Short mmCIF file of all heavy atoms in Angstrom, two decimals:
data_model
loop_
_atom_site.label_atom_id
_atom_site.label_comp_id
_atom_site.label_asym_id
_atom_site.label_seq_id
_atom_site.Cartn_x
_atom_site.Cartn_y
_atom_site.Cartn_z
N MET A 23 74.21 -19.25 4.56
CA MET A 23 74.88 -18.04 4.15
C MET A 23 74.73 -17.85 2.65
O MET A 23 74.92 -18.79 1.88
CB MET A 23 76.36 -18.12 4.50
CG MET A 23 76.63 -18.03 5.99
SD MET A 23 78.37 -18.18 6.47
CE MET A 23 79.24 -17.25 5.29
N GLN A 24 74.42 -16.65 2.26
CA GLN A 24 74.30 -16.34 0.84
C GLN A 24 75.56 -15.63 0.37
O GLN A 24 76.16 -14.85 1.11
CB GLN A 24 73.08 -15.45 0.59
CG GLN A 24 71.76 -16.14 0.83
CD GLN A 24 70.60 -15.19 0.53
OE1 GLN A 24 70.79 -14.00 0.45
NE2 GLN A 24 69.43 -15.76 0.36
N LYS A 25 75.92 -15.92 -0.86
CA LYS A 25 77.08 -15.26 -1.43
C LYS A 25 76.65 -13.91 -1.98
O LYS A 25 75.57 -13.76 -2.55
CB LYS A 25 77.68 -16.10 -2.56
CG LYS A 25 78.30 -17.38 -2.09
CD LYS A 25 78.96 -18.10 -3.24
CE LYS A 25 79.60 -19.38 -2.75
NZ LYS A 25 80.24 -20.11 -3.82
N SER A 26 77.50 -12.95 -1.82
CA SER A 26 77.18 -11.65 -2.38
C SER A 26 77.38 -11.68 -3.89
O SER A 26 78.03 -12.56 -4.44
CB SER A 26 78.06 -10.56 -1.74
OG SER A 26 79.41 -10.80 -2.07
N GLY A 27 76.83 -10.69 -4.56
CA GLY A 27 76.92 -10.65 -6.02
C GLY A 27 78.34 -10.52 -6.51
O GLY A 27 78.71 -11.09 -7.54
N SER A 28 79.17 -9.75 -5.80
CA SER A 28 80.56 -9.57 -6.25
C SER A 28 81.36 -10.86 -6.12
O SER A 28 82.25 -11.12 -6.93
CB SER A 28 81.23 -8.45 -5.46
OG SER A 28 81.30 -8.80 -4.09
N THR A 29 81.05 -11.69 -5.14
CA THR A 29 81.76 -12.96 -4.99
C THR A 29 81.47 -13.88 -6.16
O THR A 29 82.37 -14.57 -6.65
CB THR A 29 81.35 -13.64 -3.67
OG1 THR A 29 81.55 -12.73 -2.60
CG2 THR A 29 82.16 -14.89 -3.43
N LYS A 30 80.25 -13.87 -6.64
CA LYS A 30 79.89 -14.69 -7.80
C LYS A 30 80.65 -14.24 -9.03
O LYS A 30 81.14 -15.06 -9.81
CB LYS A 30 78.39 -14.62 -8.06
CG LYS A 30 77.54 -15.32 -7.04
CD LYS A 30 76.08 -15.19 -7.39
CE LYS A 30 75.20 -15.81 -6.32
NZ LYS A 30 73.78 -15.66 -6.64
N TYR A 31 80.76 -12.91 -9.20
CA TYR A 31 81.47 -12.40 -10.36
C TYR A 31 82.97 -12.70 -10.28
O TYR A 31 83.59 -13.04 -11.29
CB TYR A 31 81.25 -10.89 -10.52
CG TYR A 31 79.86 -10.55 -10.97
CD1 TYR A 31 79.05 -9.73 -10.20
CD2 TYR A 31 79.34 -11.06 -12.15
CE1 TYR A 31 77.77 -9.42 -10.60
CE2 TYR A 31 78.06 -10.75 -12.57
CZ TYR A 31 77.28 -9.93 -11.78
OH TYR A 31 76.02 -9.62 -12.20
N VAL A 32 83.54 -12.60 -9.11
CA VAL A 32 84.96 -12.91 -8.95
C VAL A 32 85.21 -14.38 -9.26
O VAL A 32 86.17 -14.72 -9.96
CB VAL A 32 85.43 -12.55 -7.52
CG1 VAL A 32 86.82 -13.12 -7.25
CG2 VAL A 32 85.41 -11.05 -7.31
N LYS A 33 84.34 -15.25 -8.78
CA LYS A 33 84.49 -16.68 -9.05
C LYS A 33 84.34 -16.97 -10.54
O LYS A 33 85.10 -17.76 -11.11
CB LYS A 33 83.46 -17.48 -8.25
CG LYS A 33 83.68 -18.95 -8.29
CD LYS A 33 82.77 -19.67 -7.33
CE LYS A 33 83.07 -21.14 -7.33
NZ LYS A 33 82.22 -21.88 -6.41
N ALA A 34 83.40 -16.31 -11.20
CA ALA A 34 83.20 -16.52 -12.64
C ALA A 34 84.40 -16.02 -13.43
O ALA A 34 84.85 -16.69 -14.37
CB ALA A 34 81.93 -15.81 -13.10
N VAL A 35 84.95 -14.88 -13.04
CA VAL A 35 86.12 -14.34 -13.74
C VAL A 35 87.33 -15.25 -13.52
O VAL A 35 88.10 -15.50 -14.46
CB VAL A 35 86.41 -12.89 -13.27
CG1 VAL A 35 87.77 -12.43 -13.76
CG2 VAL A 35 85.32 -11.96 -13.75
N LEU A 36 87.51 -15.76 -12.32
CA LEU A 36 88.63 -16.67 -12.06
C LEU A 36 88.49 -17.97 -12.84
O LEU A 36 89.48 -18.49 -13.37
CB LEU A 36 88.75 -16.97 -10.57
CG LEU A 36 89.31 -15.84 -9.71
CD1 LEU A 36 89.27 -16.22 -8.25
CD2 LEU A 36 90.71 -15.48 -10.14
N ASN A 37 87.28 -18.49 -12.95
CA ASN A 37 87.06 -19.70 -13.75
C ASN A 37 87.37 -19.44 -15.21
O ASN A 37 87.98 -20.26 -15.89
CB ASN A 37 85.63 -20.19 -13.59
CG ASN A 37 85.40 -20.87 -12.26
OD1 ASN A 37 86.33 -21.34 -11.63
ND2 ASN A 37 84.15 -20.92 -11.83
N LEU A 38 86.92 -18.30 -15.72
CA LEU A 38 87.18 -17.94 -17.12
C LEU A 38 88.67 -17.73 -17.35
O LEU A 38 89.22 -18.21 -18.35
CB LEU A 38 86.40 -16.68 -17.49
CG LEU A 38 86.50 -16.22 -18.92
CD1 LEU A 38 85.93 -17.27 -19.86
CD2 LEU A 38 85.79 -14.91 -19.11
N LEU A 39 89.33 -17.07 -16.43
CA LEU A 39 90.77 -16.83 -16.55
C LEU A 39 91.55 -18.15 -16.52
O LEU A 39 92.49 -18.35 -17.29
CB LEU A 39 91.24 -15.91 -15.43
CG LEU A 39 92.66 -15.40 -15.52
CD1 LEU A 39 92.84 -14.55 -16.77
CD2 LEU A 39 93.00 -14.60 -14.29
N THR A 40 91.15 -19.06 -15.67
CA THR A 40 91.80 -20.38 -15.60
C THR A 40 91.62 -21.13 -16.92
O THR A 40 92.58 -21.73 -17.43
CB THR A 40 91.21 -21.20 -14.45
OG1 THR A 40 91.37 -20.47 -13.23
CG2 THR A 40 91.89 -22.55 -14.33
N ALA A 41 90.43 -21.08 -17.49
CA ALA A 41 90.18 -21.76 -18.76
C ALA A 41 91.02 -21.15 -19.87
O ALA A 41 91.58 -21.88 -20.71
CB ALA A 41 88.71 -21.69 -19.10
N VAL A 42 91.15 -19.84 -19.90
CA VAL A 42 91.93 -19.17 -20.94
C VAL A 42 93.41 -19.52 -20.80
O VAL A 42 94.09 -19.81 -21.79
CB VAL A 42 91.71 -17.64 -20.89
CG1 VAL A 42 92.70 -16.91 -21.76
CG2 VAL A 42 90.29 -17.30 -21.30
N VAL A 43 93.92 -19.53 -19.57
CA VAL A 43 95.34 -19.87 -19.34
C VAL A 43 95.61 -21.31 -19.77
O VAL A 43 96.62 -21.60 -20.42
CB VAL A 43 95.72 -19.63 -17.87
CG1 VAL A 43 97.07 -20.25 -17.55
CG2 VAL A 43 95.73 -18.14 -17.57
N LEU A 44 94.72 -22.24 -19.42
CA LEU A 44 94.90 -23.63 -19.83
C LEU A 44 94.85 -23.78 -21.34
O LEU A 44 95.63 -24.54 -21.92
CB LEU A 44 93.84 -24.51 -19.17
CG LEU A 44 94.05 -24.77 -17.68
CD1 LEU A 44 92.85 -25.53 -17.11
CD2 LEU A 44 95.32 -25.52 -17.44
N LEU A 45 93.95 -23.05 -21.98
CA LEU A 45 93.86 -23.11 -23.43
C LEU A 45 95.14 -22.58 -24.08
O LEU A 45 95.66 -23.18 -25.03
CB LEU A 45 92.64 -22.31 -23.91
CG LEU A 45 92.41 -22.30 -25.41
CD1 LEU A 45 92.04 -23.69 -25.89
CD2 LEU A 45 91.32 -21.31 -25.76
N LEU A 46 95.67 -21.49 -23.56
CA LEU A 46 96.92 -20.94 -24.10
C LEU A 46 98.09 -21.90 -23.89
O LEU A 46 98.94 -22.05 -24.76
CB LEU A 46 97.22 -19.59 -23.47
CG LEU A 46 96.31 -18.45 -23.91
CD1 LEU A 46 96.62 -17.19 -23.11
CD2 LEU A 46 96.43 -18.18 -25.39
N LEU A 47 98.12 -22.56 -22.74
CA LEU A 47 99.17 -23.56 -22.51
C LEU A 47 99.07 -24.71 -23.49
O LEU A 47 100.09 -25.18 -24.02
CB LEU A 47 99.09 -24.09 -21.08
CG LEU A 47 99.66 -23.19 -19.99
CD1 LEU A 47 99.36 -23.79 -18.62
CD2 LEU A 47 101.14 -22.99 -20.16
N VAL A 48 97.86 -25.16 -23.76
CA VAL A 48 97.67 -26.25 -24.71
C VAL A 48 98.09 -25.82 -26.10
O VAL A 48 98.74 -26.57 -26.83
CB VAL A 48 96.20 -26.73 -24.69
CG1 VAL A 48 95.90 -27.62 -25.88
CG2 VAL A 48 95.91 -27.47 -23.40
N ILE A 49 97.78 -24.60 -26.47
CA ILE A 49 98.09 -24.12 -27.82
C ILE A 49 99.59 -23.91 -28.01
O ILE A 49 100.16 -24.27 -29.05
CB ILE A 49 97.31 -22.82 -28.13
CG1 ILE A 49 95.83 -23.14 -28.27
CG2 ILE A 49 97.84 -22.16 -29.39
CD1 ILE A 49 94.95 -21.92 -28.41
N PHE A 50 100.26 -23.33 -27.01
CA PHE A 50 101.66 -22.94 -27.21
C PHE A 50 102.68 -23.93 -26.65
O PHE A 50 103.76 -24.10 -27.20
CB PHE A 50 101.91 -21.56 -26.59
CG PHE A 50 101.20 -20.45 -27.33
CD1 PHE A 50 100.16 -19.77 -26.74
CD2 PHE A 50 101.57 -20.12 -28.62
CE1 PHE A 50 99.50 -18.78 -27.41
CE2 PHE A 50 100.92 -19.12 -29.31
CZ PHE A 50 99.87 -18.45 -28.70
N VAL A 51 102.37 -24.60 -25.55
CA VAL A 51 103.36 -25.47 -24.90
C VAL A 51 103.24 -26.91 -25.38
O VAL A 51 104.25 -27.59 -25.55
CB VAL A 51 103.21 -25.37 -23.37
CG1 VAL A 51 104.16 -26.33 -22.67
CG2 VAL A 51 103.47 -23.94 -22.91
N LEU A 52 102.03 -27.39 -25.59
CA LEU A 52 101.83 -28.79 -25.96
C LEU A 52 102.55 -29.19 -27.25
O LEU A 52 103.17 -30.26 -27.28
CB LEU A 52 100.34 -29.11 -26.05
CG LEU A 52 99.98 -30.58 -26.17
CD1 LEU A 52 100.40 -31.33 -24.92
CD2 LEU A 52 98.51 -30.73 -26.40
N PRO A 53 102.53 -28.37 -28.32
CA PRO A 53 103.28 -28.80 -29.52
C PRO A 53 104.78 -28.96 -29.26
O PRO A 53 105.40 -29.87 -29.81
CB PRO A 53 103.02 -27.67 -30.52
CG PRO A 53 101.73 -27.08 -30.10
CD PRO A 53 101.72 -27.19 -28.60
N ARG A 54 105.35 -28.09 -28.43
CA ARG A 54 106.78 -28.23 -28.13
C ARG A 54 107.05 -29.49 -27.32
O ARG A 54 108.03 -30.19 -27.55
CB ARG A 54 107.27 -27.00 -27.39
CG ARG A 54 107.28 -25.77 -28.27
CD ARG A 54 107.80 -24.58 -27.56
NE ARG A 54 107.75 -23.43 -28.45
CZ ARG A 54 107.88 -22.19 -28.06
NH1 ARG A 54 108.09 -21.92 -26.79
NH2 ARG A 54 107.80 -21.21 -28.93
N LEU A 55 106.20 -29.77 -26.35
CA LEU A 55 106.36 -30.98 -25.56
C LEU A 55 106.14 -32.22 -26.41
O LEU A 55 106.81 -33.23 -26.23
CB LEU A 55 105.40 -30.97 -24.38
CG LEU A 55 105.74 -30.03 -23.24
CD1 LEU A 55 104.66 -30.09 -22.18
CD2 LEU A 55 107.09 -30.36 -22.65
N LEU A 56 105.18 -32.14 -27.32
CA LEU A 56 104.91 -33.28 -28.19
C LEU A 56 106.12 -33.57 -29.07
O LEU A 56 106.47 -34.73 -29.29
CB LEU A 56 103.67 -32.98 -29.05
CG LEU A 56 103.10 -34.15 -29.82
CD1 LEU A 56 102.62 -35.22 -28.86
CD2 LEU A 56 101.96 -33.68 -30.69
N GLY A 57 106.78 -32.54 -29.56
CA GLY A 57 107.99 -32.73 -30.34
C GLY A 57 109.10 -33.38 -29.54
O GLY A 57 109.89 -34.16 -30.06
N PHE A 58 109.15 -33.07 -28.25
CA PHE A 58 110.18 -33.65 -27.39
C PHE A 58 109.89 -35.12 -27.08
O PHE A 58 110.78 -35.96 -27.08
CB PHE A 58 110.28 -32.86 -26.08
CG PHE A 58 111.26 -33.44 -25.12
CD1 PHE A 58 112.62 -33.29 -25.32
CD2 PHE A 58 110.83 -34.13 -24.00
CE1 PHE A 58 113.53 -33.81 -24.43
CE2 PHE A 58 111.73 -34.66 -23.11
CZ PHE A 58 113.08 -34.50 -23.32
N PHE A 59 108.62 -35.45 -26.82
CA PHE A 59 108.25 -36.80 -26.41
C PHE A 59 107.90 -37.72 -27.57
O PHE A 59 107.65 -38.91 -27.36
CB PHE A 59 107.07 -36.76 -25.43
CG PHE A 59 107.46 -36.28 -24.07
CD1 PHE A 59 107.03 -35.04 -23.62
CD2 PHE A 59 108.24 -37.06 -23.25
CE1 PHE A 59 107.38 -34.59 -22.37
CE2 PHE A 59 108.61 -36.62 -21.99
CZ PHE A 59 108.18 -35.38 -21.55
N MET A 60 107.89 -37.23 -28.80
CA MET A 60 107.49 -38.04 -29.95
C MET A 60 108.36 -39.29 -30.13
O MET A 60 107.81 -40.36 -30.39
CB MET A 60 107.47 -37.21 -31.22
CG MET A 60 106.85 -37.94 -32.39
SD MET A 60 105.19 -38.56 -32.07
CE MET A 60 104.27 -37.07 -32.06
N PRO A 61 109.68 -39.24 -29.98
CA PRO A 61 110.46 -40.48 -30.12
C PRO A 61 110.05 -41.55 -29.11
O PRO A 61 110.02 -42.74 -29.43
CB PRO A 61 111.90 -40.04 -29.90
CG PRO A 61 111.92 -38.60 -30.22
CD PRO A 61 110.57 -38.07 -29.83
N PHE A 62 109.72 -41.14 -27.89
CA PHE A 62 109.29 -42.10 -26.88
C PHE A 62 107.93 -42.69 -27.23
O PHE A 62 107.69 -43.88 -27.01
CB PHE A 62 109.24 -41.43 -25.51
CG PHE A 62 110.57 -40.91 -25.06
CD1 PHE A 62 110.83 -39.55 -25.06
CD2 PHE A 62 111.56 -41.77 -24.64
CE1 PHE A 62 112.05 -39.05 -24.65
CE2 PHE A 62 112.79 -41.29 -24.22
CZ PHE A 62 113.05 -39.93 -24.24
N VAL A 63 107.04 -41.88 -27.76
CA VAL A 63 105.72 -42.37 -28.16
C VAL A 63 105.84 -43.36 -29.30
O VAL A 63 105.21 -44.42 -29.29
CB VAL A 63 104.80 -41.18 -28.54
CG1 VAL A 63 103.49 -41.66 -29.12
CG2 VAL A 63 104.55 -40.29 -27.32
N VAL A 64 106.67 -43.04 -30.28
CA VAL A 64 106.87 -43.94 -31.42
C VAL A 64 107.50 -45.25 -30.95
O VAL A 64 107.08 -46.34 -31.37
CB VAL A 64 107.73 -43.26 -32.51
CG1 VAL A 64 108.14 -44.25 -33.59
CG2 VAL A 64 106.98 -42.09 -33.12
N GLY A 65 108.47 -45.17 -30.06
CA GLY A 65 109.09 -46.38 -29.52
C GLY A 65 108.10 -47.24 -28.75
O GLY A 65 108.11 -48.47 -28.86
N TRP A 66 107.22 -46.60 -27.99
CA TRP A 66 106.20 -47.33 -27.23
C TRP A 66 105.23 -48.04 -28.18
O TRP A 66 104.86 -49.19 -27.95
CB TRP A 66 105.46 -46.37 -26.31
CG TRP A 66 104.38 -47.02 -25.52
CD1 TRP A 66 104.52 -47.86 -24.46
CD2 TRP A 66 102.98 -46.90 -25.75
NE1 TRP A 66 103.30 -48.26 -24.01
CE2 TRP A 66 102.33 -47.68 -24.78
CE3 TRP A 66 102.21 -46.19 -26.66
CZ2 TRP A 66 100.95 -47.77 -24.71
CZ3 TRP A 66 100.84 -46.29 -26.59
CH2 TRP A 66 100.23 -47.07 -25.62
N ILE A 67 104.83 -47.36 -29.26
CA ILE A 67 103.92 -47.97 -30.23
C ILE A 67 104.58 -49.16 -30.91
O ILE A 67 103.96 -50.22 -31.07
CB ILE A 67 103.46 -46.92 -31.26
CG1 ILE A 67 102.55 -45.89 -30.58
CG2 ILE A 67 102.74 -47.57 -32.44
CD1 ILE A 67 102.19 -44.71 -31.44
N ILE A 68 105.85 -49.03 -31.28
CA ILE A 68 106.56 -50.15 -31.90
C ILE A 68 106.68 -51.31 -30.92
O ILE A 68 106.51 -52.48 -31.29
CB ILE A 68 107.94 -49.68 -32.40
CG1 ILE A 68 107.77 -48.74 -33.59
CG2 ILE A 68 108.81 -50.87 -32.79
CD1 ILE A 68 109.05 -48.07 -34.04
N ALA A 69 106.94 -51.02 -29.65
CA ALA A 69 107.04 -52.07 -28.65
C ALA A 69 105.70 -52.78 -28.46
O ALA A 69 105.66 -54.00 -28.29
CB ALA A 69 107.51 -51.48 -27.32
N MET A 70 104.61 -52.05 -28.49
CA MET A 70 103.28 -52.67 -28.34
C MET A 70 102.95 -53.55 -29.55
O MET A 70 102.35 -54.62 -29.40
CB MET A 70 102.20 -51.59 -28.20
CG MET A 70 102.22 -50.86 -26.89
SD MET A 70 101.75 -51.91 -25.52
CE MET A 70 103.28 -52.11 -24.67
N ILE A 71 103.38 -53.13 -30.72
CA ILE A 71 103.13 -53.93 -31.92
C ILE A 71 103.98 -55.20 -31.90
O ILE A 71 103.52 -56.28 -32.28
CB ILE A 71 103.41 -53.09 -33.20
CG1 ILE A 71 102.35 -51.99 -33.33
CG2 ILE A 71 103.43 -53.97 -34.44
CD1 ILE A 71 102.63 -50.99 -34.43
N ALA A 72 105.22 -55.10 -31.44
CA ALA A 72 106.13 -56.25 -31.44
C ALA A 72 105.90 -57.19 -30.26
O ALA A 72 106.43 -58.31 -30.27
CB ALA A 72 107.57 -55.76 -31.43
N ASN A 73 105.15 -56.78 -29.27
CA ASN A 73 104.98 -57.57 -28.06
C ASN A 73 104.44 -58.99 -28.32
O ASN A 73 104.97 -59.94 -27.76
CB ASN A 73 104.10 -56.82 -27.07
CG ASN A 73 104.10 -57.44 -25.71
OD1 ASN A 73 105.03 -58.13 -25.35
ND2 ASN A 73 103.04 -57.21 -24.96
N PRO A 74 103.42 -59.20 -29.14
CA PRO A 74 102.95 -60.57 -29.37
C PRO A 74 104.02 -61.47 -30.00
O PRO A 74 104.15 -62.63 -29.62
CB PRO A 74 101.76 -60.40 -30.32
CG PRO A 74 101.30 -59.02 -30.11
CD PRO A 74 102.52 -58.22 -29.77
N LEU A 75 104.78 -60.94 -30.93
CA LEU A 75 105.85 -61.72 -31.54
C LEU A 75 106.93 -62.07 -30.52
O LEU A 75 107.43 -63.20 -30.49
CB LEU A 75 106.46 -60.95 -32.72
CG LEU A 75 107.61 -61.65 -33.44
CD1 LEU A 75 107.12 -62.94 -34.08
CD2 LEU A 75 108.21 -60.72 -34.47
N VAL A 76 107.28 -61.15 -29.68
CA VAL A 76 108.30 -61.39 -28.65
C VAL A 76 107.81 -62.46 -27.67
O VAL A 76 108.58 -63.37 -27.30
CB VAL A 76 108.64 -60.08 -27.91
CG1 VAL A 76 109.50 -60.34 -26.70
CG2 VAL A 76 109.34 -59.13 -28.87
N ARG A 77 106.56 -62.38 -27.25
CA ARG A 77 106.02 -63.42 -26.34
C ARG A 77 106.01 -64.78 -27.00
O ARG A 77 106.34 -65.79 -26.37
CB ARG A 77 104.62 -63.04 -25.88
CG ARG A 77 104.63 -62.02 -24.75
CD ARG A 77 103.26 -61.87 -24.16
NE ARG A 77 102.44 -61.18 -25.17
CZ ARG A 77 101.11 -61.16 -25.17
NH1 ARG A 77 100.45 -61.80 -24.23
NH2 ARG A 77 100.45 -60.51 -26.09
N PHE A 78 105.62 -64.83 -28.28
CA PHE A 78 105.60 -66.09 -29.00
C PHE A 78 106.99 -66.70 -29.09
O PHE A 78 107.19 -67.90 -28.83
CB PHE A 78 105.01 -65.90 -30.39
CG PHE A 78 105.10 -67.11 -31.28
CD1 PHE A 78 104.26 -68.19 -31.05
CD2 PHE A 78 106.04 -67.18 -32.29
CE1 PHE A 78 104.34 -69.32 -31.86
CE2 PHE A 78 106.13 -68.30 -33.10
CZ PHE A 78 105.27 -69.37 -32.88
N LEU A 79 107.97 -65.89 -29.44
CA LEU A 79 109.34 -66.40 -29.59
C LEU A 79 109.97 -66.77 -28.25
O LEU A 79 110.79 -67.68 -28.19
CB LEU A 79 110.20 -65.36 -30.31
CG LEU A 79 109.84 -65.14 -31.79
CD1 LEU A 79 110.68 -64.01 -32.37
CD2 LEU A 79 110.01 -66.41 -32.60
N SER A 80 109.60 -66.08 -27.18
CA SER A 80 110.17 -66.42 -25.88
C SER A 80 109.59 -67.73 -25.32
O SER A 80 110.24 -68.40 -24.52
CB SER A 80 109.93 -65.30 -24.89
OG SER A 80 108.56 -65.17 -24.58
N ARG A 81 108.41 -68.11 -25.75
CA ARG A 81 107.82 -69.38 -25.32
C ARG A 81 108.47 -70.58 -26.00
O ARG A 81 108.48 -71.68 -25.47
CB ARG A 81 106.32 -69.41 -25.60
CG ARG A 81 105.53 -68.53 -24.67
CD ARG A 81 104.06 -68.61 -24.95
NE ARG A 81 103.33 -67.62 -24.19
CZ ARG A 81 102.19 -67.08 -24.54
NH1 ARG A 81 101.60 -67.47 -25.66
NH2 ARG A 81 101.61 -66.18 -23.79
N ARG A 82 108.99 -70.38 -27.20
CA ARG A 82 109.57 -71.49 -27.96
C ARG A 82 110.97 -71.76 -27.58
O ARG A 82 111.83 -71.37 -27.17
CB ARG A 82 109.50 -71.20 -29.46
CG ARG A 82 108.06 -71.09 -29.90
CD ARG A 82 107.92 -71.15 -31.38
NE ARG A 82 107.33 -72.46 -31.63
CZ ARG A 82 107.61 -73.22 -32.62
NH1 ARG A 82 108.50 -72.86 -33.50
NH2 ARG A 82 107.03 -74.38 -32.78
#
């Protein structure tokens, strides 16, 4: 079965529209979410840095 020309254009427009919506979400929503999750990210980084010291002290 061959796709008609209009089906190809509809699929291309939907792909383009999806990409634009995702880009807008990344531009407008991600900074707000990043501000909300930043304390958790900083805490996780501190925990990863302190992990070797904690393991060393727990063995002794």
Side-chain angles (χ1 to χ4, degrees):
M23 289 178 41
Q24 291 181 343
K25 292 184 179 180
S26 64
S28 63
T29 306
K30 289 180 184 179
Y31 288 122
V32 169
K33 190 172 183 179
V35 168
L36 286 176
N37 285 338
L38 183 63
L39 189 62
T40 303
V42 169
V43 168
L44 286 174
L45 181 66
L46 289 174
L47 282 174
V48 166
I49 290 173
F50 291 112
V51 176
L52 191 65
R54 291 182 182 166
L55 286 177
L56 191 63
F58 177 74
F59 287 110
M60 189 55 72
F62 299 106
V63 172
V64 170
W66 179 73
I67 292 172
I68 291 172
M70 289 292 109
I71 291 172
N73 191 24
L75 179 63
V76 170
R77 279 190 290 163
F78 173 74
L79 292 175
S80 68
R81 287 182 189 153
R82 297 194 108 217

